[in-house]
Amino acid sequence: RFKGQPAMAHPDVVIGDEGGGGAGIWVRYPEVEGVPPRIVARLCRAACERDAELCRDGLPRYLRDRLELPGVREALRQLHLVPADLTPEAVAALGAGDTQAHRRLVFDEFFFLQLGLARRRARWRRDRAPALPKTADPLAEVRPCRGFAPTGAQERAAREIAADLGGAEPMNRLLQGDVGSGKTVVAFAAALLVARAGCQSALMAPTEILAEQHLRTVEPWARALGLKVALLTAQTPRGSRESILTLLAAGRLHLLIGTHALLAERVGFDRLGLVIVDEQHRFGVIQRLKLLQKGRTPDVLVMTATPIPRTVTLTLFGDLEISTLRDSPPGRQKVNTYHATEEQRARWWEFLRRKLREGRQAYVVVPLVEESDQLNVANVQEAYESLTNGELEAFRLGLIHGRMTSAEKDAVMDDFRRGQIQVLVCTSVVEVGVDVPNATLMTIEGGERFGLAQLHQLRGRISRGSHPGFCCVFADPQTEESQERLKAFVSTTDGFKLAETDFRLRGPGEILGTRQHGLPPFRIADLVRDEAVVIEARRDAQALVSTDPDLSQPPHAALRRMMLTRYGELLELSDVG
């Protein structure tokens, strides 16, 4: 193992003169600073010759035979000790990663992770949650409060959640939906069912803006249905905080919405039955666990507005049931998206001014230029002053960015919602949680600096009302990937299609970042290339755990050790998705 490099990293096979070592077939390894490639190759070859026999094979023989996979020692030797007399076809297969040896190591990476997820899921299901009364129409009470009929996807997701709540096993479900697909009403319907059964719910959001938006959305429904709802954040005044905590402990609050403030030790529920975590990827496992521990095996619903590629869903959320919302509520208008150049800027501002005079509102989003809040503020301040004294001088502008206090941001957002501010100049702080139906125009500056998912989330801010939306991205893409990203963004508003495109362009390494998700990077497997193997590994892992939940049978002893060695620390932290 070299510092900073994975042990026996996936090699490439090259035909030719590699590193001045002569013509032939060479195994090329990731570069190690200060060490010539031929030395790295020689050391890896020597390590494999000497130690391949010491590698334990975690897969049971019956599983290897059924899948027609070689043993792990044989696979390692085939990949690292390449003979010089291979046929051209064999060399091509080896270089393309299309051999049984590759497939064996890829299967291992997926299988042991899926095994850990399946085992965690089985352990979660051993606990018992209070079974709620079953209902055939979980949206029955909510429907009259909405003003329009729920989509078929909302109806289906609500029934799936209600079925979970009505079972003895605790719910552990992911609700994913595109921007504006109506996740909040489905989550509220679940909280209503829990309240009718005499329990309480908690909804934790990553930002105060998003938490406040949830409160603003559900408060009218709650009032009409006799539910008591409250908001708890770091900015909640002391007097209000004490009152909220007293009502919560006495069981007189049905739903508490908040940020990380919900995790405080003094926040105690009388009977917590449901935990809802919004934008769940923004919270760590320990934080989610801490909220769960405030109840006795509460049901769990995690939500995300970031559409997730199918293979990522299977890999990252393999222990959760999944409900997906793809439809937009009726009445939502399409968003027209354009990629503009500097030459088209004057024409765009003229169009935007015309729409503002018609009564619409707009966002102007300025990118983070450097990883520095100070530079970010300077950049957005400059844009604000330029527009105030230039193209938009006839209109009322507001400014919002991450360095402002919560009170300052709240004041600006309130003015924007009430129409006192016509144009909000901002950073990506508005990416989630801002719901102003009359804001139907968005200008995104420096679009090449934003990721595809982030661009889509930003655009989602102007798809909230009954007027058509217009989004114009000013960008100067310098790379082929950036050009393709912008082309995809302009071509569709389907977040799931964009997620697959983003996944293909950036690869799993970016999307499955360890800081965000806690998932170790794969050394050999590729979620784009190996989707079929993911599905196969997941099926086999779940089948095995269904017959031996603790992996305690003798044939599974080595397999259990391997799973714990690879993923034990990650997966044994908690039972939370």
Side-chain angles (χ1 to χ4, degrees):
R1 180 189 296 269
F2 299 106
K3 186 176 181 181
Q5 294 290 338
M8 285 295 188
H10 175 40
D12 294 324
V13 175
V14 184
I15 304 175
D17 188 350
E18 179 73 7
I25 300 170
W26 292 85
V27 180
R28 183 170 58 198
Y29 295 90
E31 293 183 4
V32 177
E33 187 177 353
V35 183
R38 63 181 180 277
I39 301 298
V40 174
R42 188 194 312 150
L43 291 171
C44 287
R45 183 180 182 89
C48 191
E49 288 174 336
R50 184 189 63 210
D51 296 330
E53 286 302 316
L54 301 179
C55 294
R56 294 181 177 178
D57 199 324
L59 285 188
R61 185 58 182 261
Y62 72 85
L63 189 57
R64 294 206 312 267
D65 290 346
R66 182 170 65 77
L67 298 172
E68 299 181 345
L69 294 173
V72 70
R73 299 162 187 167
E74 181 184 348
L76 287 171
R77 283 194 294 264
Q78 288 181 21
L79 293 177
H80 294 276
L81 308 178
V82 181
D85 58 350
L86 287 182
T87 65
E89 293 77 15
V91 173
L94 199 58
D98 186 22
T99 69
Q100 284 299 86
H102 280 98
R103 186 167 173 269
R104 166 59 206 267
L105 299 186
V106 168
F107 182 86
D108 272 18
E109 289 203 297
F110 289 138
F111 179 74
F112 287 112
L113 174 60
Q114 291 296 332
L115 194 66
L117 290 169
R119 187 165 177 257
R120 187 167 70 174
R121 180 177 179 175
R123 193 175 68 234
W124 172 267
R125 288 184 162 187
R126 286 183 198 155
D127 294 328
R128 287 292 175 262
L132 275 60
K134 295 186 182 298
T135 174
D137 186 4
L139 293 176
E141 287 193 80
V142 180
R143 200 175 284 109
C145 305
R146 296 280 295 145
F148 55 82
T151 65
Q154 286 175 311
E155 297 272 12
R156 183 171 57 253
R159 287 195 298 271
E160 291 168 347
I161 292 169
D164 287 351
L165 295 173
E169 298 170 349
M171 176 173 70
N172 199 22
R173 183 172 287 274
L174 169 69
L175 176 63
Q176 65 165 337
D178 205 346
V179 177
S181 58
K183 294 178 297 299
T184 304
V185 67
V186 175
F188 177 77
L192 179 62
L193 294 176
V194 169
R196 295 296 188 237
C199 296
Q200 298 165 294
S201 299
L203 193 165
M204 185 167 68
T207 67
E208 290 183 16
I209 288 178
L210 185 51
E212 290 165 359
Q213 182 61 56
H214 280 308
L215 179 70
R216 195 174 292 107
T217 300
V218 307
E219 206 166 27
W221 309 338
R223 194 181 306 117
L225 295 169
L227 263 62
K228 289 187 171 61
V229 182
L231 176 71
L232 185 67
T233 72
Q235 302 301 315
T236 302
R238 183 174 179 178
S240 299
R241 177 183 297 270
E242 294 303 318
S243 175
I244 289 170
L245 295 180
T246 300
L247 291 171
L248 188 69
R252 294 171 60 190
L253 268 184
H254 300 102
L255 172 61
L256 181 61
I257 300 171
T259 56
H260 297 77
L262 299 187
L263 305 178
E265 190 173 337
R266 291 193 59 218
V267 178
F269 294 79
D270 176 52
R271 195 181 178 201
L272 180 61
L274 173 65
V275 168
I276 305 168
V277 183
D278 196 13
E279 293 300 322
Q280 62 84 33
H281 58 277
R282 299 192 180 201
F283 295 101
V285 173
I286 297 298
Q287 290 173 316
R288 298 195 293 269
L289 176 61
K290 194 171 181 180
L291 185 56
L292 280 184
Q293 290 173 336
K294 292 182 179 291
R296 294 182 179 178
T297 323
D299 292 295
V300 177
L301 179 67
V302 295
M303 303 194 298
T304 179
T306 304
I308 304 169
R310 181 167 179 259
T311 49
V312 177
T313 302
L314 294 176
T315 304
L316 196 59
F317 303 111
D319 57 333
L320 277 72
E321 302 294 338
I322 298 172
S323 296
T324 300
L325 304 180
R326 294 195 70 138
D327 307 328
S328 294
R332 291 281 173 92
Q333 297 293 313
K334 68 172 290 189
V335 177
N336 304 278
T337 307
Y338 314 98
H339 172 205
T341 62
E342 285 301 315
E343 291 73 23
Q344 298 166 304
R345 186 175 286 275
R347 184 180 171 192
W348 167 251
W349 288 127
E350 177 56 39
F351 173 80
L352 187 139
R353 287 191 293 265
R354 186 169 76 248
K355 289 295 180 181
L356 291 175
R357 286 191 287 269
E358 291 175 5
R360 305 287 77 77
Q361 290 168 272
Y363 299 94
V364 176
V365 184
V366 181
L368 177 67
V369 177
E370 300 288 347
E371 290 297 331
S372 161
D373 286 340
Q374 193 60 48
L375 287 173
N376 191 22
V377 171
N379 198 45
V380 72
Q381 183 74 41
E382 181 181 317
Y384 171 75
E385 292 174 0
S386 175
L387 290 170
T388 300
N389 299 309
E391 300 288 355
L392 302 179
E393 63 180 346
F395 302 93
R396 301 182 300 276
L397 273 63
L399 175 66
I400 191 169
H401 54 73
R403 288 282 293 245
M404 296 168 66
T405 66
S406 295
E408 290 170 335
K409 285 187 283 190
D410 289 345
V412 173
M413 287 308 306
D414 284 342
D415 285 346
F416 189 51
R417 288 188 190 93
R418 290 186 290 108
Q420 298 301 309
I421 291 174
Q422 293 171 285
V423 181
L424 185 64
V425 183
C426 56
T427 61
S428 57
V429 70
V430 300
E431 181 183 343
V432 293
V434 178
D435 189 357
V436 182
N438 191 49
T440 61
L441 302 156
M442 178 171 283
T443 307
I444 301 177
E445 299 285 358
E448 73 279 1
R449 295 181 181 273
F450 294 100
L452 189 49
Q454 193 175 28
L455 286 170
H456 183 60
Q457 287 293 321
L458 287 168
R459 179 171 56 187
R461 299 309 102 206
I462 58 170
S463 64
R464 320 297 288 188
S466 56
H467 296 283
F470 298 90
C471 177
C472 184
V473 185
F474 289 99
D476 182 21
Q478 297 295 312
T479 66
E480 186 176 336
E481 179 186 321
S482 183
Q483 292 170 2
E484 192 167 349
R485 185 166 66 239
L486 287 166
K487 182 179 178 182
F489 178 60
V490 171
S491 68
T492 182
T493 56
D494 186 328
F496 289 91
K497 288 183 180 178
L498 291 175
E500 294 292 345
T501 300
D502 198 27
F503 185 51
R504 177 174 53 80
L505 290 174
R506 293 196 296 157
E510 291 291 326
I511 293 176
L512 298 180
T514 55
R515 284 184 302 173
Q516 185 178 31
H517 295 300
L519 187 65
F522 295 116
R523 295 174 178 173
I524 300 173
D526 183 315
L527 285 176
V528 178
R529 180 194 64 203
D530 301 319
E531 178 179 356
V533 185
V534 175
I535 296 170
E536 184 179 48
R538 186 170 189 258
R539 181 196 63 215
D540 289 333
Q542 290 180 344
L544 194 151
V545 170
S546 69
T547 60
D548 185 10
D550 292 321
L551 304 179
S552 56
Q553 297 175 10
H556 301 149
L559 182 148
R560 184 175 185 275
R561 282 196 303 271
M562 191 72 70
M563 178 200 69
L564 292 175
T565 298
R566 292 194 179 195
Y567 297 110
E569 184 177 355
L570 171 71
L571 298 178
E572 295 295 320
L573 277 173
S574 74
D575 292 328
V576 188

